[in-house]
Amino acid sequence: MDAPAAPPAAPANPAGSLPTAGRPGPLAVLFGPVFLKEMLVLGRHRSTYWTRAGFVLLLAGVAALVFFGATADASRLPGASALQTLQRVAPLLANVLGFLQLTAITLVAPGLASSAVCDEKRARTLPTLVTTPLSALQIVGGKLTARLAQLMLLVISAAPLLLSVRVFGGLDAEFVAASVALTLGSALATAALALLFSTWHTRAAAAAAFALATYGLLTVAPFFTAMAIGQFRAPPPWFVTATSPFLCLSALLGGGRIVVAPGVGTTQLWLIGAAYQIAIGIAAAALAAASLRRVMLREAAGRPDPGGEGPAPAAAGDGTPAPAVPATKKRPSSRTLTGSPVFWREYRRPAVKSRTARRTLVASVLLGLVWLYTHLPFHSEELHYTVALVSVGVLALLNAQSAPGAVGVEREARTWDALLTSRLSPASILFAKAGAAVARVWYIPAYALAHFGVAAFAGFVHPIFFLHLTLILFACGLLPVCTGLVLGLAVRKATTASSLNLLVLVGLWLVFPVLVGLMGSLAPPAGRHALKPLADAGLAINPFPMIVFALGPALRTPSLAYWPRYEWLGRDDLDPLGFSVILAGSFGALSVIGLVALLVAARRFNRLTDRPS
């Protein structure tokens, strides 16, 4: 008998496709081999355990401050009054812990997830993933689920603390459930966005910054857009309020007394808000899978940088690939760098490498400005407040995210060792990088000062606000850069340093004044008097309330014939010289603190970088 015929050979993968092993199920996508590998890698990082310990200690410290302040006041009161005082502890503590947890997770999640694909690109391990039967969806799902597991541990660690304060009364269990749901939804949305931008960028710090900016547009911009359309006189529709987890939590804390979303109950509001966050995360993860598939196909074709090497070379007649022909690049114009080559090299480092992404970003900003100036008249106070507050916030956010990358990028590009072998002193390296980081975002202060310069010329705002805004912008631009460079030296991973830098600013401008306010509200009169200098200092170094204090009188008294009078610490007749001295002292102190931190880092530079003396 003849031997049976051999089965036909399986067809090879068509050109431009990835090897697959059938359509995976949900469990294989979320908890497959990529998930196991990422959990093992993340579990070996020291930063994972430092983050957990710091998060728990921060929450426990806040709870301890509030508890001891409340019990010290209650011990001096009779029984009924003491019980009423203790009942105030739970709502206040839940308020602070809920917003603190939501803010911290929102800032930590992009830094944790932005390195998911960037590290693969830098280590050149994407071609290895191409040879596996794993699909792009399995890779994205495994990486995202592993990072969500780390974030879920942080969120769950705060739940027992929130539940334990219910013994004092006055706190509904619904608030705890809503806080956990909104925080987990925010973690999913920001982590998925960071993973999406990680497929488009090679630097994790840039991916984290774009993820935070995109999340802000999706959660904050709709509310302010609706408020601007209503001329800031009517509350926005409920579905606009539901886009922001912070507003949902605020509505729930109001207990029905604060109408944030008319016509909708607070329960429906936070449920819809959590669903909106989950929808953002799912959409961003799907886009990340599609984008990663294109990146992996380029890696398989030998073209990791689209547009950098030109089209793939054609194969020869015998099947062997033809030698790669390098793309002809435009020769850069020669330039003489005098004075500080580190400064110019850092200054010319693009924040966004892709030309298409830069054009899209510039077009989006210009369209947003056109919409803002067409919907709000130039003389309206809402327009000027929006421009001033957004300019300060964006400047601080960009510098806080990009400054740690000034050191991290050198390490990732393996040029840091070459810089250390140069004859440049530590101070010259750090101060050159700090100056370049401040100068790179010159367009934000330039736009804000140009706006208020035109407003002062048109007679809508007093010219002295020009000076006040300059003082605030300078400090908000310099302090995040200095602290970011110090953290970039101390922490080897740029994304971890960026997240810590953001947490430093949040602690300085949000956590510190809130804690002092809580301690003052729960302390006896003698304690309140002792805490008043701390409260005043926390207010003086916070740029956002100081912008309001400075801009309000300048708008009410725009004429040069009169000097505006300012409100400060119970006074409503402070002259411009006194208020300017307060601004110069407070924000000058912030600048000095940043420079001193940079000097200390320069003195310990050799120890932090293992540079021989």
Side-chain angles (χ1 to χ4, degrees), residues 129-193:
L129 288 176
V130 173
T131 61
T132 66
L134 296 173
S135 65
L137 184 61
Q138 287 178 281
I139 297 173
V140 169
K143 289 179 175 292
L144 180 60
T145 308
R147 282 151 178 84
L148 286 178
Q150 305 297 327
L151 296 171
M152 191 176 297
L153 288 176
L154 297 179
V155 177
I156 293 176
S157 63
L161 189 59
L162 286 172
L163 290 172
S164 64
V165 300
R166 295 186 65 235
V167 298
F168 298 108
L171 179 63
D172 192 359
E174 182 184 1
F175 175 81
V176 180
S179 176
V180 172
L182 290 171
T183 305
L184 289 177
S186 177
L188 172 61
T190 51
L193 287 171

Side-chain angles (χ1 to χ4, degrees), residues 90-102 158-159 162-163 165-166 170-183 245-246 248-255 266-267 270:
L92 286 173
L93 186 58
N95 190 348
V96 176
L97 292 181
F99 279 97
L100 181 61
Q101 174 184 253
L102 180 58
L162 286 172
L163 290 172
V165 300
R166 295 186 65 235
L171 179 63
D172 192 359
E174 182 184 1
F175 175 81
V176 180
S179 176
V180 172
L182 290 171
T183 305
F246 295 93
C248 294
L249 211 56
S250 300
L252 191 63
L253 283 171
T266 54
T267 302
W270 71 261

Side-chain angles (χ1 to χ4, degrees), residues 5-357:
N13 288 326
S17 64
L18 297 175
T20 59
R23 179 172 296 179
L27 292 179
V29 170
L30 299 179
F31 304 102
V34 176
F35 170 79
L36 298 177
K37 177 256 184 184
E38 293 292 330
M39 288 295 292
L40 289 175
V41 172
L42 292 174
R44 294 171 182 172
H45 289 172
R46 292 182 180 179
S47 59
T48 301
Y49 301 99
W50 281 111
T51 303
R52 294 176 187 173
F55 185 76
V56 174
L57 289 176
L58 176 62
L59 296 180
V62 172
L65 286 175
V66 176
F67 175 77
F68 286 117
T71 54
D73 191 15
S75 61
R76 301 180 180 90
L77 299 175
S81 300
L83 184 60
Q84 292 178 356
T85 302
L86 289 176
Q87 287 179 349
R88 291 191 302 154
V89 173
L92 286 173
L93 186 58
N95 190 348
V96 176
L97 292 181
F99 279 97
L100 181 61
Q101 174 184 253
L102 180 58
T103 303
I105 294 299
T106 303
L107 295 178
V108 169
L112 184 63
S114 60
S115 60
V117 182
C118 292
D119 287 349
E120 301 281 358
K121 293 179 180 178
R122 189 177 66 252
R124 298 182 180 180
T125 54
L126 276 181
T128 305
L129 288 176
V130 173
T131 61
T132 66
L134 296 173
S135 65
L137 184 61
Q138 287 178 281
I139 297 173
V140 169
K143 289 179 175 292
L144 180 60
T145 308
R147 282 151 178 84
L148 286 178
Q150 305 297 327
L151 296 171
M152 191 176 297
L153 288 176
L154 297 179
V155 177
I156 293 176
S157 63
L161 189 59
L162 286 172
L163 290 172
S164 64
V165 300
R166 295 186 65 235
V167 298
F168 298 108
L171 179 63
D172 192 359
E174 182 184 1
F175 175 81
V176 180
S179 176
V180 172
L182 290 171
T183 305
L184 289 177
S186 177
L188 172 61
T190 51
L193 287 171
L195 189 58
L196 171 62
F197 283 100
S198 180
T199 62
W200 296 340
H201 293 78
T202 56
R203 296 196 305 269
F210 276 95
L212 278 178
T214 305
Y215 184 73
L217 289 176
L218 294 173
T219 58
V220 179
F223 177 78
F224 283 100
T225 301
M227 292 292 289
I229 293 175
Q231 298 291 318
F232 291 87
R233 295 184 178 89
W238 65 267
F239 54 86
V240 174
T241 305
T243 59
S244 173
F246 295 93
L247 293 178
C248 294
L249 211 56
S250 300
L252 191 63
L253 283 171
R257 294 185 297 271
I258 300 177
V259 180
V260 179
V264 176
T266 54
T267 302
Q268 293 87 346
L269 183 66
W270 71 261
L271 287 174
I272 296 173
Y276 176 72
Q277 303 297 313
I278 295 174
I280 293 176
I282 293 175
L287 288 176
S291 178
L292 180 62
R293 178 177 176 83
R294 290 193 293 269
V295 172
M296 294 172 67
L297 287 174
R298 288 198 298 265
E299 291 282 348
R303 293 182 289 113
D305 184 12
E309 296 181 358
D318 57 355
T320 59
V325 179
T328 303
K329 296 185 178 180
K330 184 179 179 181
R331 185 176 181 179
S333 57
S334 61
R335 177 180 290 103
T336 302
L337 302 180
T338 59
S340 180
V342 177
F343 172 88
W344 289 108
R345 183 176 183 274
E346 185 67 26
Y347 179 76
R348 292 187 59 82
R349 179 170 63 89
V352 183
K353 287 187 175 182
S354 173
R355 185 177 301 177
T356 303

Side-chain angles (χ1 to χ4, degrees), residues 51 107-108 487 491 494-506:
T51 303
L107 295 178
V108 169
L487 290 172
V491 182
T495 53
T496 304
S498 298
S499 300
L500 290 175
N501 200 23
L502 281 175
L503 290 177
V504 168
L505 296 184
V506 171

Side-chain angles (χ1 to χ4, degrees), residues 524-549:
R528 295 175 188 174
H529 182 73
L531 290 173
K532 191 175 185 305
L534 280 178
D536 297 342
L539 182 64
I541 62 174
N542 196 319
F544 300 103
M546 296 305 290
I547 282 283
V548 176
F549 290 149

Side-chain angles (χ1 to χ4, degrees), residues 391-552:
S391 298
V392 171
V394 171
L395 178 65
L397 177 63
L398 286 181
N399 284 343
Q401 281 282 7
S402 62
V407 179
V409 168
E410 299 276 4
R411 286 173 174 157
E412 293 173 359
R414 299 180 181 179
T415 57
W416 183 245
D417 294 336
L419 185 60
L420 295 180
T421 57
S422 66
R423 301 181 62 183
L424 295 173
S425 64
S428 62
I429 294 175
L430 291 180
F431 280 93
K433 285 185 173 292
V438 173
R440 282 175 58 196
V441 291
W442 61 268
Y443 46 87
I444 298 177
Y447 159 71
L449 295 176
H451 170 89
F452 286 101
V454 174
F457 182 78
F460 297 137
V461 64
H462 199 280
I464 196 172
F465 181 72
F466 198 86
L467 170 64
H468 297 162
L469 183 62
T470 303
L471 293 173
I472 296 175
L473 286 174
F474 180 78
C476 291
L478 181 61
L479 179 66
V481 167
C482 295
T483 56
L485 286 174
V486 173
L487 290 172
L489 286 176
V491 182
R492 291 190 174 273
K493 200 168 184 179
T495 53
T496 304
S498 298
S499 300
L500 290 175
N501 200 23
L502 281 175
L503 290 177
V504 168
L505 296 184
V506 171
L508 181 64
W509 291 338
L510 179 62
V511 177
F512 175 71
V514 169
L515 285 180
V516 173
L518 279 175
M519 294 171 62
S521 63
L522 296 173
R528 295 175 188 174
H529 182 73
L531 290 173
K532 191 175 185 305
L534 280 178
D536 297 342
L539 182 64
I541 62 174
N542 196 319
F544 300 103
M546 296 305 290
I547 282 283
V548 176
F549 290 149
L551 183 55

